[in-house]
Amino acid sequence: MLYYSHAITTEKLNHARPSLHGHHEKGKEGQVLHRSKRGWVWNQFFVIEEYTGPDPVLVGRLHSDIDSGDGNIKYILSGEGAGIIFVIDDKSGNIHATKTLDREERAQYTLTAQAVDRNTNRPLEPPSEFIVKVQDINDNPPEFLHENYHANVPERSNVGTSVIQVTASDADDPTYGNSAKLVYSILEGQPYFSVEAQTGIIRTALPNMDREAKEEYHVVIQAKDMGGHMGGLSGTTKVTITLTDVNDNPPKFPQSVYQMSVSEAAVPGEEVGRVKAKDPDIGENGLVAYSIIDGDGMDMFEITTDYETQEGVVKLKKLLDFETKKSYSLKVEAANVHIDPKFISNGPFKDTVTVKISVEDADEPPVFLKPSYIFEVQENAASGTVVGKVHAKDPDAANSAIRYSIDRHTDLERYFIINAEDGNIKTMKALDREEIAWHNISVFAVEVHKQHQEAKVPVAIKVVDVNDNAPKFAAAYEAFVCENARSNQQFITISADDRDDSANGPRFIFSLPPEIIHNPNFTLRDNRDNTASVLVRREGFSRQKQDLYLLPIVISDGGLPPMSSTNTLTIRVCGCDSNGSMVSCNAEAYTLNAGLSTGALVAILACIVILLVIVVLFVTLKRQKKEPLIVFEEEDVRENIITYDDEGGGEEDTEAFDIATLQNPDGINGFIPRKDIKPEYQYMPRPGLRPAPNSVDVDDFINTRIQEADNDPTAPPYDSIQIYGYEGRGSVAGSLSSLESATTDSDLDYDYLQNWGPRFKKLADLYGSKDTFDDDS
């Protein structure tokens, strides 16, 4: 049977239970322990961490009761760290730790021991597990969760107010000894703060700490293990504590009176000055609202709060007049917006100050007695009629003289003129209400000695209507009456229009002129609603006898005095069906029922004659096209310029063009009129020309014709195609076309070119030397 023994290294090993040997052993306290029936006697081994001795640490010893000491038994160790951290002497069973152990890395190891026969490796006893525990020592100092802490506490807090709790931890074993028992203490920050030794809670230690005196505090807290005794390890942390603001200070003005000034020319809303009450509190605790609570300027001034700068802004509320009042006094109050009831005893949280404002005299522009003027004047009034009068004055004490003028941008047609001295406005020409009913002008008032000081006022002038326009038809009426119209039948209703105002217009009175009051054909009925109806007086109208009637109608307005005009109503006689619906109003159409008129018959016959003439001309032209106009001989080959206005046909199109029209008939008589401008170069004659029978000098001939063309006064001012009649059939030169040269014999005599002048000498040399070349060969 195997048993073990502990290596006695420290007094702490006394906690381990002794090994069992035999059936009964007494424990430390006299307790009888019964041996296990297993072949192993096992227990826990202990080894101190961080051992740094020169020799391996003896952890314990294994021994079997069958070991007689002859060396036949071999002890084997396996499990966690076996062979690396823990090694065993296979003969003696001593277990050693070869490396320094750290409990904070691993607190215990589980190993298995077995006794085997050294020669056969046969197990002599069953394997058994045991535990090696690493015994803790105080080798780790306390560490705080954060290196720096930040906390806030309201100023003027009571003593003992909790600020923040700091916490430290120790990696040592808290269940063994005091290595992890921590105690907190304050190293820096007294006497303002304290810390609870067991919990690490920081509390205020002084009453009425004032933020305005000192806002931030730096506190150092220490945590020490071993219960704070000597030899313990420690760690520290820094805590920054900020006092938060409370409203414990009322606002105060730095002075008792403020002096300000403002010009009388200032406009309402303009800033006059600023006041500021100082409040050492911050945030909403330092917000100050300003108000005017008294003074003779309460109606003239107002005060607002600029919350960005915490200033009271005094502004002008109404216009000032230096000549009326030269100074004002205000009583301004500054009060905290938010008040803390805890500190109401420190109040009142407000302060007052006196603001004195002096009004400065300013050179003011003239002022009109009214902001605007409205005048009336009758239309057609004579030039020079007084319309109205404007008046302005200088508000300054100097009371300078004023001159008036009209802004001509508002009176471009110059209908009005103003007296520069007294401001009387008069007409310069007659006014027409029907053209312009209202005239809106502007009048300037300028100080005589200070031209830059001016004022402007709008003046509206109404043109009053007079009855100067007679009424007229409201539209261009054209009436129709049926031939079979019945007596007293109404066929049109008319109305009138008057350009005058309604007072001089309707009501309208319609009537027939006295000379035709008894018109036999038509009569008029005034409907007394500014309209009139035209009626048929008799029956039986005929378009053949008369198809158009002109009825004069007199229209009078209701003005004083009334005006009237005579308007003519055109009435046409039309054919109607049995229902009275108009069919036709054309008098000639009526005669077509019996037969065509003479004019229509003549027109038809003229059209027929014109058609016959066109047909005859077409047939004649068709026959002429079948016969060729020019017989083209083989030598009469020329280049034709053909203009096609359409497509198709081929040779038939070519035959349709008469090439003879290109020949100038005047060329036969030796006179060819000029057709273009003066030529810029001369055409060279083509080779192959034969001499004329009468030995004509072609060069002289061409020069002569060029001179005639240049001196021709009838020449048009443009370029054209010049056609010469000296080529082809009937000409002395024959054909000049190069198309014929391919069929001619090359053995021609060109000596006649020598007679054509110096310009053809080069050509004669080229062609005339052919015989010489042949002889030489």
Side-chain angles (χ1 to χ4, degrees):
M1 190 65 64
L2 224 76
Y3 65 92
Y4 73 92
S5 63
H6 286 285
I8 306 301
T9 57
T10 64
E11 295 179 357
K12 295 182 180 181
L13 293 179
N14 293 331
H15 293 284
R17 289 179 295 170
S19 61
L20 300 179
H21 189 211
H23 292 282
H24 299 283
E25 290 285 346
K26 286 187 178 181
K28 288 186 176 180
E29 299 178 357
Q31 181 182 2
V32 178
L33 301 178
H34 298 277
R35 188 180 67 178
S36 175
K37 294 181 179 180
R38 294 179 302 169
W40 284 93
V41 176
W42 62 275
N43 210 322
Q44 293 181 343
F45 290 156
F46 292 90
V47 60
I48 298 177
E49 68 171 336
E50 304 293 346
Y51 175 75
T52 58
D55 299 324
V57 179
L58 177 62
V59 178
R61 182 181 181 187
L62 296 176
H63 189 72
S64 176
D65 54 1
I66 62 173
D67 186 1
S68 59
D70 55 3
N72 291 328
I73 294 177
K74 179 182 179 181
Y75 296 98
I76 301 175
L77 185 65
S78 63
E80 298 174 344
I84 301 174
I85 300 175
F86 303 101
V87 296
I88 188 171
D89 188 340
D90 59 356
K91 291 182 179 181
S92 63
N94 291 333
I95 301 173
H96 291 82
T98 62
K99 294 184 178 181
T100 301
L101 302 179
D102 188 355
R103 189 200 67 83
E104 285 71 40
E105 291 183 1
R106 187 160 187 171
Q108 66 181 22
Y109 298 86
T110 301
L111 298 172
T112 302
Q114 190 174 23
V116 300
D117 187 275
R118 184 177 294 276
N119 297 322
T120 63
N121 286 330
R122 181 177 59 85
L124 300 178
E125 291 185 5
S128 182
E129 289 185 352
F130 64 94
I131 296 174
V132 178
K133 287 190 173 182
V134 181
Q135 190 70 45
D136 183 53
I137 64 173
N138 189 19
D139 60 342
N140 290 282
E143 293 183 357
F144 284 93
L145 299 180
H146 302 286
E147 184 178 354
N148 293 286
Y149 288 84
H150 295 273
N152 297 321
V153 63
E155 64 174 331
R156 300 189 182 279
S157 296
N158 296 327
V159 175
T161 301
S162 175
V163 179
I164 190 175
Q165 183 178 12
V166 294
T167 303
S169 61
D170 196 318
D172 294 325
D173 189 358
T175 63
Y176 185 79
N178 294 326
S179 298
K181 186 178 181 181
L182 304 181
V183 174
Y184 298 94
S185 62
I186 184 168
L187 300 182
E188 295 182 15
Q190 301 95 338
Y192 306 102
F193 300 95
S194 63
V195 63
E196 292 184 357
Q198 305 301 325
T199 62
I201 297 176
I202 301 174
R203 299 181 182 275
T204 59
L206 286 180
N208 298 324
M209 285 191 293
D210 190 3
R211 185 199 66 84
E212 288 73 34
K214 185 176 181 180
E215 182 177 7
E216 191 173 84
Y217 296 84
H218 297 283
V219 179
V220 178
I221 302 296
Q222 174 185 267
K224 190 174 184 180
D225 59 13
M226 298 300 291
H229 293 94
M230 293 293 293
L233 303 178
S234 64
T236 60
T237 186
K238 294 180 180 180
V239 182
T240 301
I241 301 176
T242 303
L243 298 182
T244 57
D245 184 64
V246 297
N247 191 10
D248 58 340
N249 295 284
K252 292 290 182 181
F253 284 104
Q255 58 195 70
S256 59
V257 179
Y258 283 87
Q259 295 286 348
M260 299 180 184
S261 61
V262 60
S263 172
E264 65 170 333
V267 296
E270 186 172 333
E271 181 178 329
V272 178
R274 294 189 174 216
V275 297
K276 184 175 183 179
K278 294 183 178 180
D279 191 332
D281 297 323
I282 60 175
E284 65 176 14
N285 297 320
L287 294 179
V288 179
Y290 298 87
S291 59
I292 299 175
I293 59 176
D294 198 6
D296 58 0
M298 294 183 64
D299 296 334
M300 304 301 295
F301 301 92
E302 61 182 355
I303 190 169
T304 59
T305 303
D306 186 346
Y307 287 101
E308 292 185 0
T309 61
Q310 291 299 302
E311 294 177 318
V313 183
V314 180
K315 296 182 178 180
L316 183 63
K317 192 175 180 181
K318 296 181 180 179
L319 291 174
L320 300 173
D321 187 6
F322 173 80
E323 289 72 24
T324 303
K325 189 173 178 62
K326 297 178 174 60
S327 64
Y328 295 88
S329 179
L330 302 174
K331 188 175 184 180
V332 176
E333 180 184 80
N336 277 140
V337 178
H338 303 282
I339 299 177
D340 192 340
K342 296 179 182 179
F343 306 100
I344 195 68
S345 59
N346 295 1
F349 287 86
K350 58 185 177 181
D351 194 15
T352 58
V353 71
T354 300
V355 178
K356 294 184 177 181
I357 303 174
S358 59
V359 181
E360 297 177 350
D361 188 19
D363 188 8
E364 300 175 82
V367 177
F368 283 93
L369 298 184
K370 294 182 180 180
S372 62
Y373 292 86
I374 299 178
F375 301 129
E376 292 184 355
V377 61
Q378 282 192 342
E379 65 173 328
N380 301 327
S383 177
T385 301
V386 177
V387 176
K389 180 179 181 180
V390 298
H391 183 68
K393 66 175 183 177
D394 183 9
D396 297 323
N399 194 17
S400 301
I402 305 297
R403 294 185 64 86
Y404 303 93
S405 62
I406 295 177
D407 183 1
R408 288 305 173 188
H409 292 92
T410 62
D411 186 26
L412 297 176
E413 300 296 330
R414 295 184 176 269
Y415 287 105
F416 306 97
I417 190 173
I418 189 171
N419 189 308
E421 305 296 335
D422 57 13
N424 276 320
I425 301 175
K426 299 180 181 179
T427 61
M428 292 184 65
K429 59 176 71 174
L431 306 178
D432 188 355
R433 189 203 68 87
E434 286 70 41
E435 291 184 1
I436 304 176
W438 284 87
H439 293 266
N440 297 300
I441 64 175
S442 297
V443 175
F444 288 112
V446 182
E447 293 184 16
V448 175
H449 301 294
K450 298 177 181 178
Q451 298 294 326
H452 64 282
Q453 293 291 0
E454 67 176 14
K456 188 177 183 180
V457 68
V459 178
I461 301 173
K462 179 182 179 181
V463 181
V464 180
D465 183 55
V466 296
N467 193 18
D468 58 346
N469 290 279
K472 297 180 181 179
F473 277 157
Y477 293 107
E478 187 173 359
F480 303 91
V481 63
C482 294
E483 289 181 306
N484 55 358
R486 299 186 303 274
S487 178
N488 292 327
Q489 179 181 349
Q490 175 184 333
F491 60 89
I492 190 172
T493 299
I494 59 175
S495 62
D497 188 16
D498 195 329
R499 294 181 63 193
D500 291 323
D501 195 6
S502 58
N504 292 315
R507 103 168 175 83
F508 296 121
I509 300 174
F510 300 86
S511 62
L512 295 178
E515 60 272 15
I516 60 168
I517 192 68
H518 300 293
N519 189 299
N521 300 314
F522 307 100
T523 184
L524 184 70
R525 182 180 64 204
D526 193 337
N527 298 325
R528 297 183 181 277
D529 59 355
N530 296 324
T531 65
S533 300
V534 182
L535 297 85
V536 177
R537 173 167 286 187
R538 66 179 178 86
E539 296 181 355
F541 289 90
S542 175
R543 283 179 286 174
Q544 285 73 31
K545 293 182 180 180
Q546 187 174 352
D547 62 345
L548 183 66
Y549 292 89
L550 301 177
L551 180 64
I553 298 176
V554 178
I555 307 175
S556 301
D557 59 21
L560 292 176
M563 295 194 70
S564 62
S565 66
T566 301
N567 301 264
T568 301
L569 177 64
T570 301
I571 304 173
R572 292 185 178 276
V573 180
C574 301
C576 304
D577 55 16
S578 58
N579 297 325
S581 300
M582 182 181 64
V583 176
S584 175
C585 293
N586 189 353
E588 294 182 357
Y590 184 81
T591 62
L592 293 177
N593 296 328
L596 295 174
S597 63
T598 303
L601 292 175
V602 172
I604 293 173
L605 291 176
C607 291
I608 294 174
V609 172
I610 292 173
L611 289 175
L612 291 175
V613 172
I614 292 173
V615 170
V616 172
L617 291 176
F618 179 80
V619 172
T620 303
L621 292 174
K622 197 70 175 178
R623 291 179 178 177
Q624 291 178 357
K625 288 182 180 180
K626 292 182 179 180
E627 298 178 0
L629 298 178
I630 301 176
V631 179
F632 288 93
E633 293 183 0
E634 197 174 19
E635 64 177 6
D636 191 11
V637 180
R638 65 186 69 188
E639 296 175 359
N640 297 333
I641 299 176
I642 308 299
T643 300
Y644 287 90
D645 293 331
D646 52 3
E647 271 191 77
E651 294 179 357
E652 295 180 0
D653 289 344
T654 305
E655 291 180 1
F657 183 81
D658 187 6
I659 196 65
T661 57
L662 294 177
Q663 296 181 349
N664 191 345
D666 296 333
I668 302 174
N669 299 326
F671 173 75
I672 301 177
R674 179 181 175 181
K675 300 298 182 182
D676 59 352
I677 62 174
K678 181 177 181 180
E680 296 180 358
Y681 58 91
Q682 296 178 345
Y683 291 96
M684 296 298 296
R686 299 182 183 180
L689 294 178
R690 295 184 180 274
N694 53 359
S695 301
V696 177
D697 191 338
V698 177
D699 186 43
D700 295 338
F701 174 80
I702 293 176
N703 290 331
T704 302
R705 292 298 179 263
I706 291 175
Q707 185 176 4
E708 292 175 355
D710 291 340
N711 296 326
D712 184 10
T714 63
Y718 52 83
D719 294 339
S720 62
I721 299 175
Q722 183 66 50
I723 304 301
Y724 293 95
Y726 294 95
E727 165 176 19
R729 184 168 58 111
S731 69
V732 296
S735 177
L736 298 180
S737 175
S738 62
L739 298 177
E740 190 179 286
S741 62
T743 60
T744 58
D745 188 5
S746 60
D747 298 329
L748 295 178
D749 185 11
Y750 295 97
D751 294 335
Y752 61 88
L753 293 175
Q754 299 288 344
N755 300 325
W756 282 22
R759 295 191 180 184
F760 292 90
K761 186 177 185 305
K762 183 66 175 177
L763 194 61
D765 294 340
L766 291 175
Y767 288 90
S769 60
K770 182 176 183 301
D771 296 336
T772 305
F773 295 153
D774 293 340
D775 295 338
D776 295 338
S777 62

